[in-house]
């Protein structure tokens, strides 16, 4: 299974659209691009494997593997990137500003359902992150 995240970068946050083939899944919010610095930047563009992970705090959730210089980059609910994210990706139902969105838990549940189905079918899942902006990060 292949997902594609198409981003737009802004000083106040990164907004994106998440696709499965030609099917739109949800919007996303992330931290602004700050040269891949831990805890303050979104991650670099590229292709990453998505795998399941379990913790007591979050239960079952999904993590991106082999992100250069980073670890534990998750998909998880958040409505304000600057206040709630440290490099992770938050699915949101609607964009409400730069790095801000609405109904993140609902969008995250939809994404998790899709990823759970792929896992049950023993499919490997990958995400390609790219930009529609002119300068690549």
């Amino acid at each position: 299974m292949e997902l594609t995240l198409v981003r737009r970068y802004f000083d106040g946050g990164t907004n994106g659209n998440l696709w499965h083939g030609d099917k739109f899944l949800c919007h996303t919010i992330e931290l602004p691009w700050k040269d891949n610095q831990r805890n303050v930047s979104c991650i670099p563009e590229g292709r990453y494997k998505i795998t399941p992970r379990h913790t007591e705090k979050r239960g079952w959730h999904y993590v991106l593997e082999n992100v250069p210089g980073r670890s534990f980059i998750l998909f998880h609910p958040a409505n304000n990137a600057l206040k709630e994210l440290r490099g992770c990706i938050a699915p949101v139902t609607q964009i409400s500003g730069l790095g801000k969105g609405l109904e993140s838990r609902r969008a995250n549940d939809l994404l998790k359902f899709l990823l759970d189905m792929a896992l049950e079918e023993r499919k490997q899942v990958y995400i390609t992150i790219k930009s529609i902006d002119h300068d690549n990060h």
Side-chain angles (χ1 to χ4, degrees), residues 1 3 18 25-26 50-55 58-63 75-77 89-92 104-120 125:
M1 171 187 249
L3 300 178
L18 187 61
L25 297 176
C26 62
I50 299 173
T51 58
R53 178 173 176 262
H54 186 272
T55 63
R58 295 198 184 275
W60 283 104
H61 56 279
Y62 288 89
V63 61
F75 283 105
H76 71 78
I89 302 169
V92 295
S104 183
R105 193 162 308 282
R106 189 170 120 204
N108 191 72
D109 288 348
L110 169 73
L111 177 60
K112 188 176 181 302
F113 177 77
L114 183 70
L115 295 175
D116 288 348
M117 285 185 10
L119 187 64
E120 282 182 25
V125 182

Side-chain angles (χ1 to χ4, degrees), residues 80-98:
N80 184 319
L82 293 178
K83 291 182 179 177
E84 301 173 78
L85 298 178
R86 299 291 172 260
C88 296
I89 302 169
V92 295
T93 303
Q94 184 179 339
I95 297 291
S96 62
L98 303 181

Side-chain angles (χ1 to χ4, degrees), residues 8 13 17-19 30 34-35 39-42 51 53-54 59-60 81 86-87 90-91 94 102 105 107-108 126:
R8 295 220 48 199
N17 293 321
L18 187 61
W19 299 83
E30 300 174 76
K34 293 190 177 181
D35 297 318
N39 299 321
V40 297
S41 176
C42 59
T51 58
R53 178 173 176 262
H54 186 272
W60 283 104
R86 299 291 172 260
Q94 184 179 339
L102 303 173
R105 193 162 308 282
N108 191 72
Y126 292 89

